[in-house]
Amino acid sequence: MNNKTRPAWCRPDGPLNVWKIVEGTEKLADGSTRPIRFSIQEVPEDRREETMQHMIKYFLADEPICKSLKMKGDPEMIRGFRVYWNYCLDQGIVEAAYVIDKDNEILELAAVNMLNVVCDETDKEMGDLLRLLESPKLIKLFDIILEISHKADARKILNVDKYIAALGLSVAPHIRGQKLGQRMLEARDEIGKKYNIPATSTVFTATASQILAARAGFKEELSQDYSDFLDDDGEPFFPNIETKCMKIMMKKIE
């Protein structure tokens, strides 16, 4: 998408929504910690590029599929992810967690969940985006994700017309270990209620994210071992991956 074209589904104009304020801690250089507060909310327009850079720096380095395919060091793959993440940001419901001060002013970006809405109209847009990708590996990866997403389509399973999906969740390393990712998954309930989106479904690719999703009320609908996927030479498409399987997990928002 570009600045002249709005996605088929996008957030209505209006003030940004804050979904949750949660308490946490920050690890300091000397090993001590200090209490901090996070605002889990929508992304301000002037912080789009910061959001993108967070995902490039942390998600592409740490997520199991990205590590397996060495995405962070591949400019074509980075450009491809930027295409999809810009589409998410254009829809307007990408979820970020910011450290906030005593006056609730946002400071440091701590975590991002690249949310997008899936419906019949956006299916075509996602197909159009796929044709913009340059990296053969990334094209095959998104083909895999779209294929298993259609095998366990929340629209059919939960009898809904649209749902909240995601194209990556990342928490900054010094913030990890305090359930911020789980709180962001739980915030999808508030997002769905606000925008009349009756369900959420995601391909969770890491064991840790699958555990967090279960704690946030998501139910497993499909599991696919990474070893099932081969490249054109019959070799594992995800070499040396650290996780056994990807899972589609979903829930109704009521």
Side-chain angles (χ1 to χ4, degrees):
M1 309 308 292
N2 55 52
N3 291 334
K4 296 180 181 179
T5 306
R6 289 168 65 90
W9 189 98
C10 59
R11 173 189 178 277
D13 293 335
L16 295 178
N17 291 289
V18 174
W19 308 117
K20 291 176 180 288
I21 301 291
V22 298
E23 306 291 329
T25 59
E26 181 180 21
K27 297 177 185 176
L28 303 178
D30 62 1
S32 63
T33 61
R34 65 176 180 182
I36 54 175
R37 296 162 65 239
F38 301 102
S39 173
I40 298 176
Q41 63 169 75
E42 294 168 332
V43 176
E45 183 65 24
D46 63 354
R47 301 191 76 148
R48 281 179 62 124
E49 183 59 25
E50 176 191 35
T51 306
M52 194 81 70
Q53 290 301 323
H54 173 101
M55 295 297 287
I56 292 169
K57 182 177 181 179
Y58 298 123
F59 181 78
L60 294 187
D62 298 336
E63 189 276 331
I65 285 177
C66 297
K67 288 175 68 176
S68 171
L69 299 180
K70 297 181 172 59
M71 289 189 183
K72 191 174 181 183
D74 188 321
E76 282 189 350
M77 289 193 180
I78 292 172
R79 285 196 295 270
F81 265 101
R82 288 184 72 99
V83 167
Y84 273 91
W85 287 335
N86 267 316
Y87 176 74
C88 295
L89 287 161
D90 285 345
Q91 282 198 340
I93 63 165
V94 171
E95 182 186 16
Y98 296 100
V99 178
I100 53 175
D101 64 17
K102 60 182 177 59
D103 298 316
N104 291 337
E105 294 295 321
I106 61 176
L107 304 172
E108 174 193 357
L109 176 61
V112 176
N113 197 189
M114 282 286 183
L115 301 182
N116 65 294
V117 173
V118 175
C119 60
D120 291 348
E121 292 79 10
T122 63
D123 281 346
K124 180 182 183 303
E125 292 177 338
M126 295 298 280
D128 291 341
L129 292 179
L130 192 61
R131 287 189 283 274
L132 298 177
L133 303 183
E134 303 168 353
S135 165
K137 281 189 177 181
L138 194 58
I139 291 169
K140 183 174 175 64
L141 172 61
F142 278 110
D143 278 339
I144 288 170
I145 291 174
L146 289 173
E147 179 184 348
I148 70 165
S149 296
H150 289 146
K151 285 182 181 178
D153 190 331
R155 288 170 288 187
K156 297 177 181 177
I157 294 171
L158 301 178
N159 192 29
V160 297
D161 64 341
K162 55 184 173 289
Y163 63 91
I164 300 170
L167 288 167
L169 169 61
S170 179
V171 179
H174 66 288
I175 299 295
R176 293 172 188 169
Q178 49 189 317
K179 300 182 179 180
L180 185 58
Q182 180 180 335
R183 299 293 173 255
M184 295 180 78
L185 291 173
E186 292 168 347
R188 292 195 201 178
D189 290 344
E190 303 307 316
I191 298 169
K193 291 172 185 175
K194 174 68 176 181
Y195 296 123
N196 195 30
I197 305 168
T200 181
S201 177
T202 296
V203 180
F204 290 97
T205 58
T207 301
S209 63
Q210 293 160 6
I211 292 170
L212 291 181
R215 291 174 179 168
F218 288 72
K219 304 298 182 184
E220 179 183 331
E221 290 293 341
L222 182 147
S223 178
Q224 187 87 40
D225 286 356
Y226 287 112
S227 60
D228 293 340
F229 301 105
L230 305 178
D231 63 19
D232 293 339
D233 298 320
E235 298 297 321
F237 182 68
F238 300 105
N240 305 312
I241 194 160
E242 300 169 352
T243 301
K244 180 179 184 295
C245 62
M246 60 177 74
K247 295 182 178 182
I248 291 186
M249 302 176 71
M250 61 184 67
K251 67 174 179 177
K252 265 200 166 179
I253 294 171
E254 297 173 331

